Amino acid sequence: ETETETERQREYAESMRVALRCVYVCSLALDNAAVRELVKVTLREGYAELMLQGPNLNALSRPMMTALSDALRKVEDNESLKSVVISSEGPAFCAGHDLKELMAAREHPAQLQHIFEQCGHLMQQIVEFPLPVIASVHSIATAAGCQLVASCDLAVCSEKARFAVPGVNIGLFCSTPMVALSRAIVHPRFALEMLYTGQPISAERALQLGLVNRVVASEAVLADAVASLCATLATKSRYTLRLGKAAARRQHTLPLHEAYDLMAATMTENMQSQDAAEGIAAFLQKRPPGFTQP
């Protein structure tokens, strides 16, 4: 047994330990003042960073979901932004639902359904957000935390990140995370393997499955890698990014001929835009474009 193999075994054991801890996460009572502090909003050059900084491994409690939803609405109409980053601080990216909160609502099915629906609405808000949303994942993302990553348009993670939907281990199948996960990776059968076994996958495996776009060497360089990606997006037309994201979402579930018909109309609209005219002129004149459309 080589030293490298031993190190990998230690890393896997640690990821399993954290995954199990994430499954059994519980939360603290939070007042309205605390809710406002659960997500820190920072405006950077061309993008906004929404940093989860909640207790108990950034569990998606109802206050946390409300705070993240409010933060998205807060930055949505800022015309200086070309993208949004969802990051977090602490030992986990996001531990999924708050099981203590779920257990407290167990005798009240309407409350339980409201929690799961609130989470679904948050994920749809991310999918429907008009600009690219990027997950910056430094550590483990489990259950609804993995769902959060899968709901983002792009994802960058450190090589120590791990991803899991381990609800099956405690008798609670990750049904709502399955919606996002099965749409994000290359084939539903790989999502089902994660869901049936509850075992975490490595950052490299997540890259192979299409759950993340890039894996960087360490958490120390993750912020720089994400900032570099955002800097690239910042050079693009905000109008064109908005149009492109909406078009990608609309065509995805259409039959092939309907998708082509709709995208032909979309490109016609795009071609008539001010930013397209500016971009093409700049390309032909060999100069940087000056995009102005919101």
Side-chain angles (χ1 to χ4, degrees), residues 76-94:
E76 182 172 345
D77 296 324
N78 187 324
E79 295 184 1
S80 71
L81 304 179
K82 305 290 182 69
S83 62
V84 168
V85 173
I86 298 178
S87 64
S88 67
E89 65 177 13
F93 172 75
C94 178

Side-chain angles (χ1 to χ4, degrees), residues 101-153:
E101 184 178 70
L102 295 184
M103 287 300 291
R106 189 168 178 270
E107 302 302 321
H108 307 280
Q111 291 183 24
L112 272 177
Q113 183 152 341
H114 179 77
I115 293 171
F116 295 128
E117 287 178 347
Q118 182 182 4
C119 185
H121 292 157
L122 172 62
M123 302 305 162
Q124 291 176 74
Q125 184 182 3
I126 292 169
V127 171
E128 295 168 3
F129 192 82
L131 295 169
V133 179
I134 304 164
S136 175
V137 187
H138 70 286
S139 185
I140 193 161
T142 63
C146 189
Q147 179 185 7
L148 178 59
V149 176
S151 297
C152 292
D153 299 290

Side-chain angles (χ1 to χ4, degrees), residues 146 150 180-194 201 205-206 208-212:
C146 189
L181 190 64
S182 62
R183 285 163 169 76
I185 65 177
V186 293
H187 197 286
R189 67 168 58 97
F190 295 118
L192 289 173
E193 181 181 0
M194 292 178 66
I201 62 171
R205 183 59 173 160
Q208 293 170 356
L209 298 183
L211 182 58
V212 302

Side-chain angles (χ1 to χ4, degrees), residues 148-178:
L148 178 59
V149 176
S151 297
C152 292
D153 299 290
L154 306 172
V156 182
C157 72
S158 76
E159 63 180 5
K160 291 191 175 181
R162 296 292 182 268
F163 303 87
V165 275
V168 68
N169 296 334
I170 58 168
L172 181 65
F173 199 78
C174 287
S175 302
T176 48
M178 175 173 60

Side-chain angles (χ1 to χ4, degrees), residues 237-250:
S237 158
R238 175 181 164 89
Y239 162 82
T240 304
L241 286 171
R242 288 165 59 94
L243 180 143
K245 177 170 177 175
R249 186 175 71 251
R250 289 199 303 268

Side-chain angles (χ1 to χ4, degrees), residues 210-221:
L211 182 58
V212 302
N213 299 85
R214 301 180 188 179
V215 178
V216 299
S218 67
E219 183 181 342
V221 299

